[in-house]
Amino acid sequence: METLINIPWAIFLILLPLAGGITCFLWPEKTKIVGLSTIVSVVISVAGLTWVMIETGPFHHTVGGWGAPLGIDLYADGLSLLMLTITSLVGLGISIYATGYFNSNYSIRFWPLWLFIMAALNALFLSADIFNFYITLELMGLAAVALTALGTSADALTGAMRYLLATLLGSLVYLFGVALLYHNFGSVDITILSQRIESTPIVWAALGLMSTGLILKTALFPLHFWLPSAHASAPAPVSAILSALIIKASFYILLRIWLDIFAPLGYELVATLLGVFGSVAILWGSIQALLQTRLKLLIAYSTIAQIGYLFLAFSLAISGAMTAWSAVVYLMFSHALAKSAMFLVAGNLMHFCGHDRIKDLDRIAQRLPVTAAAFALAGVSIVGLPPSGGFIGKWFLLETALQQEQWAFTAVIMLGSLLAAGYIFKVLGFAFTQAIASHDPHVIPAHMEWAALLLACMAIIVGFFSSPLLFIVDIGNPFEISELKR
């Protein structure tokens, strides 16, 4: 037991995918084997870190023995561990799928970039200062743009270029905020900043800049303009990475800086504003999804709507309701699993039919029952039906809104679920009916169908384990500061 505790699992989470990516560059003919074995190693490392943190509490490590403010600290509490778990599980499903989706020409470009993204994501979730957040965001964003452009079509290149400009602008605005805080307090370490923070115009300017940059990268309404084209035009595994993981990373940073740094300032007005934008995102994104005729665009607009639920929690948590943060935890987990499953389903249909036109799905439910089942199960979680993870998250939100008599938010949550049911059943309806124009189907590797079903099933199963999941997230009390504020 002592040996297992002393193994540096968290360090492995950064070094393994980094080494795997470099190996894929140097040994392109073995990219699939190297990539898949690296992802499996990451899943094992996350399991090891989880066990260690349950036994010993939050993880802390000073790189090279040089801690803050001069050196780099790595830190993981329950919230960090949740994000690492999401990344590893979704990454495993996408990696299994990608072994069948990409041919050798695309594999030699996909795997190194994908492993670099995973290394950057893991480093981001283990970072303990706001400048390393910026570094890892940039590494992740540039690799993600390159992956988006893998589609090579004009739409893919346009989507990638729009995403590049948005992510660079978001990072630049965030960096201005970091510079203001460093100029005032002489440190970028989160713990030090939380002890020194005080309400001044410069601090509020930093809060505004950092939040705006991260909201742009998370694609909250009305700064979502880049998301539909980027997510809909990229190859299916890349769309799944973007929707399930990349936008969650910037939201995680936003959550961290609000809870750990800016909470003592009091943020009722801004939090209410975020809740309003979240509400508009839910309704606008859901209506747009309902109007789409292509499946990938429908899923992309659904992502915009589901992001809105995450921002409702900022407003509902003002009065100290911890269930609002529990809702965020569940919604991030279930959305990542369900939405990645949906994009993999869309990739299966593109491969099988040669298109993703919803009205021409032509009895997919009979011809690809595993794929159709994956979409239906993922849809259960997106709509928020029991016993899925999405149901638990939306129930927590609804319960909090009702207790606080926030009737407008209550109506938005319920109406959002009804609209989600509308666009999910719209797809399922065409999946059971015969299309006017027939097409020649292409064979899909079985593991591509089962990878999508695996992720969709996990989105349902996570709903049965609310107590263990919330127990793990509570390691280190990541939401404690906002509670003390009150």
Side-chain angles (χ1 to χ4, degrees):
M1 290 294 182
E2 190 69 25
T3 305
L4 287 175
I5 289 177
N6 291 329
I7 293 175
W9 299 108
I11 309 300
F12 287 165
L13 289 175
I14 301 172
L15 294 183
L16 282 173
L18 190 61
I22 294 172
T23 306
C24 287
F25 263 126
L26 299 177
W27 204 5
E29 62 272 20
K30 298 293 182 184
T31 51
K32 291 183 180 179
I33 296 174
V34 173
L36 205 53
S37 57
T38 301
I39 299 296
V40 171
S41 303
V42 168
V43 173
I44 294 171
S45 298
V46 170
L49 180 63
T50 303
W51 183 78
V52 171
M53 288 178 60
I54 290 174
E55 292 291 320
T56 64
F59 165 82
H60 182 258
H61 177 75
T62 54
V63 179
W66 286 83
L70 296 178
I72 296 174
D73 284 345
L74 299 181
Y75 176 77
D77 57 13
L79 183 58
S80 311
L81 187 59
L82 171 79
M83 302 309 296
L84 293 168
T85 304
I86 292 173
T87 304
S88 63
L89 291 179
V90 172
L92 179 63
I94 291 172
S95 298
I96 293 171
Y97 183 89
T99 57
Y101 185 88
F102 291 113
N103 60 31
S104 57
N105 289 333
Y106 283 98
S107 285
I108 60 176
R109 285 175 277 174
F110 170 78
W111 284 101
L113 292 168
W114 164 221
L115 292 177
F116 287 150
I117 286 177
M118 176 155 282
L121 281 168
N122 290 343
L124 187 152
F125 298 136
L126 291 167
S127 293
D129 70 70
I130 55 177
F131 184 70
N132 278 327
F133 280 158
Y134 166 75
I135 297 295
T136 50
L137 262 182
E138 281 298 89
L139 293 174
M140 179 189 70
L142 293 175
V145 169
L147 277 183
T148 305
L150 271 184
T152 67
S153 65
D155 288 343
L157 294 177
T158 301
M161 183 59 67
R162 189 174 295 179
Y163 177 38
L164 173 65
L165 295 175
T167 192
L168 288 178
L169 179 61
S171 296
L172 186 63
V173 172
Y174 172 82
L175 185 60
F176 282 147
V178 173
L180 287 177
L181 288 183
Y182 182 74
H183 176 73
N184 263 259
F185 302 109
S187 177
V188 290
D189 181 75
I190 290 176
T191 303
I192 294 175
L193 287 172
S194 66
Q195 295 166 349
R196 299 177 181 174
I197 203 77
E198 55 189 17
S199 182
T200 65
I202 291 181
V203 168
W204 281 102
L207 171 62
L209 287 168
M210 295 170 77
S211 299
T212 302
L214 294 170
I215 286 171
L216 174 59
K217 292 170 89 68
T218 309
L220 174 66
F221 181 93
L223 301 179
H224 63 281
F225 57 91
W226 58 270
L227 188 145
S229 60
H231 286 203
S233 59
V238 179
S239 300
I241 293 169
L242 295 174
S243 181
L245 303 178
I246 301 295
I247 59 173
K248 302 292 189 311
S250 48
F251 179 79
Y252 167 83
I253 298 175
L254 185 66
L255 203 55
R256 274 287 182 213
I257 63 172
W258 276 63
L259 292 172
D260 294 350
I261 300 177
F262 297 111
L265 302 180
Y267 50 78
E268 287 80 1
L269 179 61
V270 185
T272 302
L273 193 61
L274 287 178
V276 172
F277 282 133
S279 301
V280 178
I282 292 169
L283 299 178
W284 190 88
S286 298
I287 292 171
Q288 289 299 315
L290 204 54
L291 296 175
Q292 298 307 308
T293 57
R294 283 185 52 210
L295 182 58
K296 288 193 76 175
L297 271 173
L298 181 151
I299 301 170
Y301 278 106
S302 167
T303 297
I304 294 171
Q306 299 301 313
I307 289 169
Y309 288 101
L310 302 179
F311 284 89
L312 281 187
F314 285 90
S315 183
L316 294 175
I318 292 174
S319 63
M322 291 302 292
T323 48
W325 297 127
S326 299
V328 167
V329 166
Y330 249 97
L331 289 173
M332 282 199 295
F333 203 166
S334 58
H335 177 261
L337 293 167
K339 198 49 67 72
S340 56
M342 280 189 166
F343 272 117
L344 299 190
V345 165
N348 285 343
L349 298 180
M350 290 283 287
H351 194 88
F352 185 77
C353 308
H355 65 82
D356 66 341
R357 297 188 299 274
I358 296 171
K359 68 181 180 62
D360 292 328
L361 289 181
D362 196 17
R363 296 175 291 112
I364 285 297
Q366 288 85 15
R367 297 191 290 171
L368 291 177
V370 174
T371 293
F375 186 86
L377 289 174
V380 166
S381 186
I382 292 296
V383 174
L385 298 176
S388 65
F391 166 74
I392 300 292
K394 290 184 180 178
W395 177 257
F396 281 150
L397 271 187
L398 194 60
E399 180 185 11
T400 309
L402 288 171
Q403 287 174 348
Q404 297 179 12
E405 298 183 352
Q406 297 273 11
W407 307 121
F409 287 153
T410 301
V412 168
I413 294 168
M414 297 180 69
L415 187 56
S417 288
L418 288 175
L419 289 169
Y423 58 72
I424 294 295
F425 282 110
K426 170 186 171 183
V427 175
L428 291 176
F430 282 108
F432 280 92
T433 56
Q434 185 168 6
I436 297 174
S438 60
H439 53 265
D440 298 327
H442 298 86
V443 177
I444 301 175
H447 64 276
M448 286 173 59
E449 289 199 83
W450 287 102
L453 185 63
L454 172 68
L455 290 168
C457 287
M458 284 195 285
I460 301 295
I461 291 171
V462 74
F464 291 96
F465 297 96
S466 59
S467 294
L469 179 63
L470 295 177
F471 168 76
I472 291 174
V473 171
D474 199 43
I475 294 175
N477 299 314
F479 302 111
E480 185 180 49
I481 292 177
S482 63
E483 197 171 37
L484 290 176
K485 176 179 77 74
R486 291 176 290 279

